[in-house]
Amino acid sequence: MVLLRHLLDIEDSESIDKKALSNGEVYIGIFKATLPHGKGKYIWCDGTVYKGDWEEGKMTGKGQILWSSGAKYEGDFSGGYLHGIGTLIGHDGSEYRGAWRMNVRHGLGRKQYSNLDVYEGSWKEGMREGCGRYSWNGGNTYIGNWKGGKICGRGVMKWENGDLFDGFWINGLRHGSGVYRFADGGYYFGMWSMGLKDGKGTFYPAGTKHPSLRRWCSSLGCYESGRNLLSHSSSLNSEKTRVLIPNDMRSLSERMSINGIFKDSGRFSQGTVSLDENSSRCSLGSEFICREPSCMLSQTSDEGQSGVQDNCTVVYEREYMQGVLKNEKVKNTEPSRKTKQRNKFHVKETKRKSYVDIFQGHWSYYLMLSLQLGIRYTVGKITPVPMRGVRDSDFGDRARIRMYFPRKGSQFTPPHYSIDFYWKDYCPMVFRNLREMFKLDAAEYMMSICGDDGLTELPSSGKSGSIFFLSHDDRFVIKTLKKFELKTLLKMLPKYYIHVGKHENTLITKIFGVHRITLRGGKKVRFVVMGNMFCTELRIHGRYDLKGSTQGRYTDKDKVGENTTLKDLDLAYEFHMDKLLRESLFKQLSLDCSFLESQQIIDYSLLLGIHFRAPEQLRAILEPPATMQNHATLATSDGINSQGPLVIPPKGLLLVTHEPSSVSTTPGSHIRGDTLKANSVGEKEVDLLLPGTGRLRVQLGVNMPAQASHKLMQDEVDSAEIELFEVYDVVLYMGVIDILQEYKVKKKVEHACKSLKFDPQSISIVEPKLYAKRFINFLHKVFPQQP
């Protein structure tokens, strides 16, 4: 007994009892009535032993448990669970030391796998989630964001050979914008899609002066307050970069739960803790250091560049499709005299910004906040109203919801961080029914626009001066309106409601709500919520706004970026479709144009998005293997897929008979129509099979396959740009936008210009009937009929 007291650290004044249970398990220690309470030792039938603190029959406090498999845990317990700070040594030699909650790793911790890989960082429900550092035993290192146990979000990967990538990831693959630094000092700034270069980018050979990496990192716009991935004090080259655990982890809120060891508080029963997973040990008594990966690249690169001689002034503007080089343009980095003068002039003009003065320099933040508050209030107020058909009064001037949102809150509104504003919602019952018609769930609508992730401001190259916002899930676009545009929309709304209800396949943009914000001074901001036509899992490589006009319909090449929307004269392709798909397209375009003509609308556009596919014969010109093979492999014991060689999908877009169970039939934010029929499969409804990507439902304006034939433009004959191929497989997305320009309003503008002796050459005034005819005729050239 003396030895037992010493082993259990029990004082002489406390009595020790031994109790054998009917199932053969034994408890030796201190009791409180009939329950273990204090120090004690419990032995299960299979040889598992717990020694430590108890509280009213449950393991609570400090303790140690040794499983029969050889696994061992020492640390905090609570209510029979591993809960707090502790160290788990697996039977395979893996170790974990850090935070636990109810038997699962949750919080901050360090894990060393049996293959000697090490992860230090944040955990959630037993998986890597948040920011952390993973070091492979082969020398590769990743620091950045994780989700569901996989690399996901912003982060930096450094390979053993010295290559480094700083950018965005999804499911362990490079996906989104990023910069790749080669070991020889070259850089590639561009876009990736599922691990492959996809879209436009710029390659700077070693010795070429490249843009400031700090400026590039800040231009991504992902480091808002509270969203920083990592701090500015780290480098992948530094051996001091470690993620450590603070002294008091019990105060952290980062704790999750799973099944406990003891399911019944009154009985002892051995539960299951997964000890097949790898674990690790970390140091206590130090701060958790969360590093920002972006500065690792910018620090080492910007400083290193200052000592590099600019031996080369040639850079390469490239465009890829699924890893295959599509075209390349040689560009001299020396800015021309004309460009310098234009840049100087541009600096002086930057003061022209809509709504900046309205929101006192913080217009973007305040406007987004006000939008979210108003929409949340409106949808929450109208949704509980019993569903009914719309009436004429629902379109009238009195069909409005008005509310005042003071900053301090009121009886009906919550306190908020925006400025005081008045809110007006137009025709709430009509738009509620439209959302139902478009099969949009009210809760999903609110979460998309009003969720914690907020809205993203989009750059606008149009002449309207409108401001655009995109919801965090890319489903909705919010656009500010001028007063006359709002009047036009409300005037045509009854006919619009009938048209979209009658024609499910309409290409006219979906409208989900129209609202207005008024500030105390009387300044007003009007806006409309629409469906995003480019909400797709495929990368949109090209965007075109097509009006069927040649007057001013081109884009200055110096202003063309990755997401620039180009115009009619910029389009260098014509698209060949399946016969039935083309017939369906022009049948609906004719119906939509007739509707817009009846409403005296002109100046509308077909917004066209193009996704290029890389055919089989392009494999020979893939980027060099050295740039493709530098992908690290994570330990597969945690369910992370190893990344092998990147394979280009085979040639062709395959149309197959539609199978509802094999594709997503969830209505999108833009299209809700029928599955289209194709002539190539016997006039049956079809799905699009994309090798290496998936199976997609073909609808009008969504996932429409075609072949794009490149047309040599006049200004390309003597240019340095090289278009490597003539025919491409493409997937098209399209819809009719800018439907709020009324003919008579444009005529008033024309008269005003003439009265001011201003030549309105940039104003295209065409009667609605002629505009519709010209529009359709132009699209017949874009989508020619196959012989």
Side-chain angles (χ1 to χ4, degrees), residues 113-178:
Y113 298 86
S114 56
N115 65 354
L116 301 183
D117 287 0
V118 176
Y119 173 77
E120 305 168 276
S122 179
W123 300 80
K124 183 177 180 181
E125 296 184 344
M127 306 186 80
R128 296 178 288 268
E129 185 146 338
C131 58
R133 170 186 177 121
Y134 195 104
S135 301
W136 284 262
N137 58 17
N140 299 338
T141 306
Y142 171 81
I143 296 181
N145 272 358
W146 298 75
K147 187 173 182 179
K150 298 181 179 181
I151 296 174
C152 195
R154 179 76 183 278
V156 174
M157 176 77 78
K158 183 181 180 183
W159 286 271
E160 185 184 17
N161 68 352
D163 285 6
L164 187 146
F165 174 79
D166 179 2
F168 290 92
W169 303 73
I170 187 169
N171 294 329
L173 299 170
R174 288 169 285 183
H175 190 84
S177 59

Coordinates of all heavy atoms in Angstrom, one line a residue, residues 113-178:
Y113 N 4.9 12.7 -37.7 CA 4.3 11.5 -38.3 C 5.4 10.4 -38.2 O 6.6 10.7 -38.0 CB 3.9 11.7 -39.7 CG 2.8 12.7 -39.8 CD1 3.0 14.1 -39.9 CD2 1.4 12.3 -39.8 CE1 2.0 15.0 -40.0 CE2 0.4 13.2 -39.9 CZ 0.7 14.6 -40.0 OH -0.3 15.5 -40.1
S114 N 4.9 9.2 -38.4 CA 5.9 8.0 -38.3 C 6.9 8.1 -39.5 O 8.0 7.5 -39.3 CB 5.1 6.7 -38.4 OG 4.3 6.7 -39.6
N115 N 6.6 8.8 -40.6 CA 7.6 8.9 -41.7 C 8.5 10.1 -41.5 O 9.2 10.5 -42.4 CB 6.9 9.0 -43.0 CG 6.0 10.3 -43.1 OD1 5.8 11.0 -42.2 ND2 5.4 10.5 -44.3
L116 N 8.4 10.8 -40.3 CA 9.2 11.9 -39.9 C 8.7 13.3 -40.5 O 9.4 14.3 -40.3 CB 10.7 11.7 -40.1 CG 11.3 10.5 -39.4 CD1 12.8 10.4 -39.7 CD2 11.1 10.5 -37.9
D117 N 7.6 13.3 -41.2 CA 7.0 14.6 -41.6 C 6.5 15.3 -40.3 O 6.2 14.6 -39.3 CB 5.8 14.4 -42.5 CG 6.2 14.0 -43.9 OD1 7.4 13.9 -44.2 OD2 5.3 13.8 -44.8
V118 N 6.5 16.6 -40.3 CA 6.1 17.3 -39.1 C 5.1 18.4 -39.5 O 5.3 19.1 -40.5 CB 7.3 18.0 -38.4 CG1 6.9 18.9 -37.3 CG2 8.3 16.9 -38.0
Y119 N 4.0 18.5 -38.8 CA 3.1 19.6 -38.9 C 3.0 20.4 -37.6 O 2.8 19.8 -36.6 CB 1.7 19.1 -39.3 CG 0.6 20.2 -39.3 CD1 0.6 21.1 -40.4 CD2 -0.2 20.4 -38.2 CE1 -0.3 22.2 -40.4 CE2 -1.2 21.4 -38.2 CZ -1.2 22.3 -39.3 OH -2.1 23.3 -39.3
E120 N 3.1 21.7 -37.7 CA 3.0 22.6 -36.5 C 1.9 23.7 -36.9 O 2.1 24.4 -37.8 CB 4.3 23.2 -36.2 CG 5.4 22.3 -36.0 CD 6.8 23.0 -36.0 OE1 7.3 23.3 -37.1 OE2 7.2 23.3 -34.9
G121 N 0.9 23.7 -36.1 CA -0.1 24.8 -36.4 C -1.5 24.5 -35.8 O -1.6 23.9 -34.7
S122 N -2.5 24.9 -36.5 CA -3.9 24.9 -36.0 C -4.6 23.6 -36.4 O -4.4 23.1 -37.5 CB -4.6 26.1 -36.5 OG -5.9 26.1 -36.0
W123 N -5.4 23.1 -35.5 CA -6.2 21.9 -35.7 C -7.7 22.2 -35.5 O -8.0 23.0 -34.6 CB -5.7 20.7 -34.8 CG -4.3 20.3 -35.0 CD1 -3.2 20.9 -34.5 CD2 -3.8 19.2 -35.7 NE1 -2.1 20.3 -34.8 CE2 -2.4 19.2 -35.6 CE3 -4.4 18.2 -36.5 CZ2 -1.6 18.3 -36.2 CZ3 -3.6 17.2 -37.1 CH2 -2.2 17.3 -36.9
K124 N -8.5 21.4 -36.2 CA -9.9 21.5 -35.9 C -10.6 20.2 -36.2 O -10.4 19.6 -37.2 CB -10.6 22.6 -36.9 CG -12.1 22.8 -36.6 CD -12.6 23.9 -37.5 CE -14.1 24.1 -37.3 NZ -14.6 25.2 -38.2
E125 N -11.2 19.7 -35.1 CA -11.9 18.3 -35.2 C -10.9 17.3 -35.7 O -11.2 16.4 -36.5 CB -13.1 18.4 -36.1 CG -14.2 19.3 -35.6 CD -15.5 19.3 -36.5 OE1 -15.4 18.8 -37.6 OE2 -16.5 19.7 -36.0
G126 N -9.7 17.3 -35.2 CA -8.7 16.3 -35.5 C -8.0 16.5 -36.9 O -7.2 15.6 -37.3
M127 N -8.3 17.5 -37.6 CA -7.7 17.7 -38.9 C -7.0 19.1 -38.9 O -7.3 20.0 -38.2 CB -8.8 17.7 -40.0 CG -9.6 16.4 -40.0 SD -10.7 16.3 -41.4 CE -9.6 15.7 -42.6
R128 N -6.0 19.2 -39.8 CA -5.3 20.4 -40.0 C -6.2 21.5 -40.6 O -6.8 21.3 -41.7 CB -4.1 20.2 -40.9 CG -3.0 19.3 -40.4 CD -1.9 19.1 -41.3 NE -2.3 18.3 -42.5 CZ -2.1 17.0 -42.5 NH1 -1.6 16.4 -41.5 NH2 -2.5 16.3 -43.6
E129 N -6.4 22.6 -39.9 CA -7.3 23.6 -40.4 C -6.9 24.9 -39.7 O -6.7 25.0 -38.5 CB -8.8 23.3 -40.0 CG -9.7 24.3 -40.6 CD -11.0 23.7 -41.1 OE1 -11.1 22.5 -41.3 OE2 -12.0 24.5 -41.2
G130 N -6.8 26.0 -40.6 CA -6.3 27.2 -40.1 C -4.9 27.4 -40.7 O -4.6 27.0 -41.8
C131 N -4.0 28.1 -40.0 CA -2.7 28.3 -40.5 C -1.7 27.4 -39.8 O -1.8 27.1 -38.6 CB -2.2 29.8 -40.3 SG -2.2 30.4 -38.7
G132 N -0.7 26.9 -40.6 CA 0.2 26.0 -40.0 C 1.4 25.7 -41.0 O 1.3 26.2 -42.2
R133 N 2.4 25.0 -40.5 CA 3.6 24.7 -41.3 C 3.7 23.2 -41.4 O 3.6 22.5 -40.4 CB 4.8 25.3 -40.6 CG 6.1 24.9 -41.2 CD 7.3 25.4 -40.4 NE 8.5 24.9 -40.9 CZ 9.5 25.6 -41.3 NH1 9.4 27.0 -41.3 NH2 10.7 25.1 -41.8
Y134 N 3.9 22.7 -42.6 CA 4.1 21.3 -42.8 C 5.5 21.1 -43.4 O 5.8 21.7 -44.5 CB 3.1 20.7 -43.7 CG 3.0 19.2 -43.7 CD1 2.0 18.5 -43.1 CD2 4.0 18.4 -44.4 CE1 1.9 17.1 -43.1 CE2 3.9 17.0 -44.4 CZ 2.9 16.4 -43.7 OH 2.8 15.0 -43.7
S135 N 6.3 20.3 -42.8 CA 7.7 20.0 -43.3 C 7.8 18.5 -43.7 O 7.6 17.6 -42.9 CB 8.7 20.3 -42.2 OG 8.6 21.7 -41.9
W136 N 8.1 18.3 -44.9 CA 8.3 16.9 -45.4 C 9.7 16.4 -45.1 O 10.7 17.2 -45.0 CB 8.1 16.8 -46.9 CG 6.6 16.9 -47.3 CD1 5.8 15.9 -47.6 CD2 5.9 18.1 -47.5 NE1 4.6 16.3 -48.0 CE2 4.6 17.7 -47.9 CE3 6.1 19.5 -47.3 CZ2 3.5 18.6 -48.2 CZ3 5.1 20.4 -47.6 CH2 3.8 19.9 -48.0
N137 N 9.8 15.1 -44.9 CA 11.2 14.6 -44.6 C 12.1 14.7 -45.7 O 13.4 14.7 -45.5 CB 11.0 13.1 -44.1 CG 10.4 12.2 -45.2 OD1 10.3 12.6 -46.4 ND2 10.0 11.1 -44.8
G138 N 11.6 15.0 -46.9 CA 12.5 15.2 -48.1 C 13.0 16.6 -48.2 O 13.8 16.8 -49.1
G139 N 12.5 17.5 -47.4 CA 13.1 18.9 -47.4 C 12.1 19.9 -47.9 O 12.3 21.1 -47.8
N140 N 10.9 19.5 -48.5 CA 9.9 20.5 -48.9 C 9.2 21.1 -47.7 O 9.0 20.4 -46.7 CB 8.9 19.9 -49.9 CG 9.6 19.3 -51.1 OD1 10.7 19.7 -51.5 ND2 8.9 18.4 -51.8
T141 N 8.7 22.3 -47.8 CA 8.1 23.0 -46.7 C 6.9 23.8 -47.2 O 7.0 24.5 -48.2 CB 9.0 23.9 -45.9 OG1 10.2 23.2 -45.5 CG2 8.4 24.5 -44.7
Y142 N 5.8 23.8 -46.5 CA 4.6 24.6 -46.8 C 4.2 25.4 -45.5 O 4.1 24.8 -44.5 CB 3.5 23.8 -47.3 CG 2.2 24.6 -47.4 CD1 1.9 25.4 -48.5 CD2 1.2 24.6 -46.4 CE1 0.8 26.1 -48.6 CE2 0.1 25.3 -46.5 CZ -0.2 26.1 -47.6 OH -1.3 26.9 -47.7
I143 N 4.0 26.7 -45.7 CA 3.4 27.5 -44.6 C 2.3 28.3 -45.2 O 2.4 28.9 -46.2 CB 4.5 28.5 -44.1 CG1 5.7 27.8 -43.4 CG2 3.8 29.4 -43.1 CD1 6.7 28.7 -42.9
G144 N 1.1 28.1 -44.5 CA -0.1 28.8 -45.0 C -1.3 28.2 -44.4 O -1.4 27.6 -43.4
N145 N -2.4 28.4 -45.2 CA -3.8 27.9 -44.8 C -4.1 26.5 -45.1 O -3.6 26.0 -46.1 CB -4.8 28.9 -45.4 CG -5.1 30.1 -44.5 OD1 -4.5 30.3 -43.5 ND2 -5.9 31.0 -45.0
W146 N -4.9 25.9 -44.2 CA -5.4 24.5 -44.4 C -6.9 24.5 -44.2 O -7.4 25.3 -43.4 CB -4.7 23.6 -43.4 CG -3.2 23.5 -43.5 CD1 -2.3 24.4 -43.1 CD2 -2.5 22.4 -44.0 NE1 -1.0 24.0 -43.3 CE2 -1.1 22.8 -43.9 CE3 -2.8 21.2 -44.6 CZ2 -0.1 21.9 -44.4 CZ3 -1.8 20.4 -45.0 CH2 -0.5 20.7 -44.9
K147 N -7.5 23.5 -44.8 CA -8.9 23.3 -44.6 C -9.2 21.8 -44.7 O -8.9 21.2 -45.8 CB -9.8 24.1 -45.5 CG -11.3 24.1 -45.2 CD -12.1 25.0 -46.1 CE -13.5 25.0 -45.8 NZ -14.3 25.9 -46.6
G148 N -9.9 21.2 -43.7 CA -10.2 19.8 -43.8 C -9.1 18.9 -44.0 O -9.2 17.9 -44.6
G149 N -7.9 19.3 -43.5 CA -6.7 18.5 -43.6 C -5.9 18.6 -44.9 O -4.9 18.0 -45.0
K150 N -6.4 19.5 -45.7 CA -5.7 19.7 -47.0 C -5.2 21.2 -47.1 O -5.8 22.1 -46.6 CB -6.6 19.4 -48.2 CG -7.0 17.9 -48.2 CD -7.9 17.6 -49.4 CE -8.3 16.2 -49.4 NZ -9.2 15.8 -50.6
I151 N -4.2 21.4 -47.9 CA -3.7 22.7 -48.2 C -4.8 23.5 -49.0 O -5.3 23.0 -50.0 CB -2.4 22.7 -49.1 CG1 -1.3 22.0 -48.3 CG2 -2.0 24.1 -49.6 CD1 0.0 21.8 -49.1
C152 N -5.3 24.6 -48.5 CA -6.4 25.3 -49.0 C -6.4 26.7 -48.6 O -6.3 27.0 -47.4 CB -7.7 24.6 -48.6 SG -9.1 25.1 -49.6
G153 N -6.3 27.7 -49.6 CA -6.3 29.1 -49.2 C -4.9 29.6 -49.6 O -4.3 29.1 -50.5
R154 N -4.5 30.7 -48.9 CA -3.2 31.3 -49.3 C -2.1 30.6 -48.6 O -2.1 30.3 -47.4 CB -3.3 32.8 -48.9 CG -2.0 33.6 -49.1 CD -1.9 34.0 -50.6 NE -0.6 34.7 -50.8 CZ -0.5 36.0 -50.6 NH1 -1.4 36.7 -50.2 NH2 0.7 36.5 -50.9
G155 N -1.0 30.4 -49.3 CA 0.2 29.8 -48.7 C 1.4 29.8 -49.6 O 1.3 30.1 -50.8
V156 N 2.5 29.4 -49.0 CA 3.8 29.4 -49.7 C 4.4 28.0 -49.6 O 4.5 27.4 -48.5 CB 4.8 30.4 -49.1 CG1 6.2 30.2 -49.7 CG2 4.4 31.8 -49.2
M157 N 4.7 27.4 -50.7 CA 5.4 26.1 -50.8 C 6.8 26.3 -51.3 O 7.1 27.0 -52.3 CB 4.7 25.2 -51.7 CG 5.4 23.8 -51.9 SD 5.1 22.7 -50.5 CE 3.4 22.2 -50.9
K158 N 7.8 25.8 -50.5 CA 9.2 25.8 -51.0 C 9.7 24.4 -51.1 O 9.6 23.6 -50.2 CB 10.1 26.6 -49.9 CG 11.5 26.7 -50.4 CD 12.4 27.4 -49.4 CE 13.8 27.5 -49.9 NZ 14.7 28.1 -48.9
W159 N 10.2 24.1 -52.4 CA 10.7 22.8 -52.7 C 12.2 22.7 -52.4 O 12.9 23.7 -52.3 CB 10.4 22.5 -54.1 CG 9.0 22.2 -54.4 CD1 8.4 21.0 -54.3 CD2 8.0 23.1 -54.8 NE1 7.0 21.1 -54.7 CE2 6.8 22.4 -54.9 CE3 8.0 24.5 -55.0 CZ2 5.6 23.0 -55.3 CZ3 6.8 25.1 -55.4 CH2 5.6 24.4 -55.5
E160 N 12.6 21.5 -52.2 CA 14.0 21.2 -51.8 C 15.0 21.8 -52.9 O 16.1 22.2 -52.5 CB 14.2 19.7 -51.7 CG 15.6 19.3 -51.2 CD 15.8 17.8 -51.1 OE1 15.0 17.1 -51.7 OE2 16.8 17.4 -50.4
N161 N 14.6 21.8 -54.1 CA 15.5 22.3 -55.2 C 15.6 23.8 -55.2 O 16.3 24.4 -56.1 CB 15.0 21.8 -56.5 CG 13.7 22.3 -57.0 OD1 13.1 23.1 -56.2 ND2 13.3 22.1 -58.2
G162 N 14.8 24.5 -54.4 CA 14.9 26.0 -54.3 C 13.8 26.7 -55.0 O 13.6 27.9 -54.8
D163 N 12.9 26.0 -55.8 CA 11.7 26.6 -56.3 C 10.8 27.0 -55.2 O 10.8 26.3 -54.1 CB 11.0 25.6 -57.3 CG 11.8 25.5 -58.6 OD1 12.9 26.1 -58.7 OD2 11.3 24.8 -59.5
L164 N 9.9 28.0 -55.5 CA 9.0 28.5 -54.4 C 7.8 29.0 -55.1 O 7.8 29.7 -56.1 CB 9.7 29.6 -53.6 CG 9.0 30.1 -52.4 CD1 10.0 30.5 -51.3 CD2 8.1 31.3 -52.7
F165 N 6.6 28.7 -54.5 CA 5.3 29.2 -55.0 C 4.6 29.9 -53.9 O 4.4 29.4 -52.8 CB 4.5 28.1 -55.6 CG 3.1 28.5 -55.9 CD1 2.9 29.2 -57.1 CD2 2.0 28.3 -55.1 CE1 1.6 29.6 -57.5 CE2 0.7 28.7 -55.4 CZ 0.5 29.4 -56.7
D166 N 4.1 31.1 -54.2 CA 3.4 31.9 -53.2 C 2.0 32.3 -53.9 O 2.0 33.0 -54.9 CB 4.1 33.2 -52.9 CG 3.3 34.1 -51.9 OD1 2.2 33.7 -51.5 OD2 3.8 35.2 -51.5
G167 N 0.9 31.7 -53.4 CA -0.3 32.0 -54.0 C -1.5 31.2 -53.3 O -1.4 30.9 -52.1
F168 N -2.5 30.9 -54.1 CA -3.7 30.3 -53.6 C -3.7 28.8 -54.0 O -3.2 28.4 -55.0 CB -4.9 31.0 -54.1 CG -5.1 32.4 -53.5 CD1 -4.6 33.5 -54.1 CD2 -5.8 32.5 -52.3 CE1 -4.7 34.7 -53.6 CE2 -5.9 33.8 -51.7 CZ -5.4 34.9 -52.4
W169 N -4.4 28.0 -53.1 CA -4.4 26.6 -53.2 C -5.8 26.1 -53.0 O -6.6 26.8 -52.3 CB -3.5 25.9 -52.2 CG -2.1 26.3 -52.2 CD1 -1.5 27.5 -51.8 CD2 -1.0 25.5 -52.7 NE1 -0.2 27.5 -52.0 CE2 0.2 26.2 -52.6 CE3 -0.9 24.2 -53.3 CZ2 1.4 25.8 -53.0 CZ3 0.3 23.7 -53.7 CH2 1.5 24.5 -53.5
I170 N -6.2 24.9 -53.5 CA -7.4 24.3 -53.1 C -7.2 22.8 -53.2 O -6.6 22.2 -54.2 CB -8.6 24.7 -54.1 CG1 -9.9 24.1 -53.6 CG2 -8.3 24.3 -55.5 CD1 -11.1 24.7 -54.3
N171 N -7.5 22.1 -52.1 CA -7.4 20.6 -52.1 C -6.0 20.2 -52.4 O -5.8 19.2 -53.1 CB -8.4 19.9 -53.0 CG -9.8 20.1 -52.5 OD1 -10.1 20.2 -51.3 ND2 -10.7 20.2 -53.4
G172 N -5.0 20.9 -51.9 CA -3.6 20.5 -52.2 C -3.0 20.9 -53.5 O -1.9 20.6 -53.8
L173 N -3.8 21.6 -54.3 CA -3.3 22.0 -55.7 C -3.3 23.5 -55.8 O -4.2 24.2 -55.2 CB -4.3 21.4 -56.7 CG -4.4 19.9 -56.8 CD1 -5.6 19.5 -57.7 CD2 -3.1 19.3 -57.2
R174 N -2.4 24.0 -56.6 CA -2.3 25.5 -56.9 C -3.6 25.8 -57.6 O -3.9 25.2 -58.7 CB -1.1 25.8 -57.7 CG 0.2 25.7 -56.9 CD 1.4 25.8 -57.7 NE 1.7 24.6 -58.5 CZ 2.7 24.4 -59.3 NH1 3.6 25.3 -59.5 NH2 2.8 23.2 -59.9
H175 N -4.3 26.8 -57.2 CA -5.6 27.2 -57.8 C -5.9 28.7 -57.5 O -6.2 29.0 -56.4 CB -6.7 26.3 -57.2 CG -8.0 26.4 -57.9 ND1 -8.3 25.7 -59.1 CD2 -9.1 27.2 -57.7 CE1 -9.5 26.0 -59.5 NE2 -10.0 26.9 -58.7
G176 N -5.8 29.5 -58.5 CA -6.0 30.9 -58.4 C -4.7 31.7 -58.7 O -3.8 31.1 -59.4
S177 N -4.6 32.9 -58.3 CA -3.4 33.7 -58.6 C -2.2 33.3 -57.8 O -2.4 32.8 -56.6 CB -3.8 35.2 -58.4 OG -4.1 35.4 -57.1
G178 N -1.1 33.5 -58.3 CA 0.2 33.2 -57.6 C 1.4 33.6 -58.3 O 1.3 34.0 -59.5

